[in-house]
Amino acid sequence: MPYGGRSGVLKTRIMEFRKERRVTQEELADAVNVTRQTIISLENGKYKASLVLAHKIAQYFGVTIEEMFLFDKEEENL
C-alpha cells in the first residue's frame, strides 16, 4: 500500500545495490520473503517498506537502513 505524504516517493538504493551484486529482483524477494512486485514497487518509489522489511533488505546487502533508504528530512519534520 503506498504511503501518503508530500512527495509520496521514498528514494532507495535497492536497484543500485542489487545490480552491483548481480542479484535479481526475484532472488532478493525470496531472500526477504516478499513478492517480486514488492521489490519493483520499492525500487520505483511506489511503496514504503516497513521497518522490518527495510532492516531485512539492508541486512541482506550488509549496509545500514540509512545507506539503503534515503529519507527526506523535510518530509519527516526533523
Side-chain angles (χ1 to χ4, degrees), residues 6-44:
R6 276 183 231 136
S7 67
V9 174
L10 173 67
K11 294 183 179 80
T12 76
R13 296 176 65 201
I14 296 171
M15 186 183 298
E16 177 185 335
F17 280 101
R18 201 173 49 70
K19 289 188 174 193
E20 198 175 87
R21 291 170 170 84
R22 292 180 164 79
V23 174
T24 67
Q25 290 171 333
E26 191 70 39
E27 288 168 335
L28 177 57
D30 288 346
V32 297
N33 202 29
V34 297
T35 65
R36 181 173 165 263
Q37 186 59 47
T38 298
I39 300 300
I40 292 168
S41 294
L42 286 166
E43 289 183 350
N44 291 332

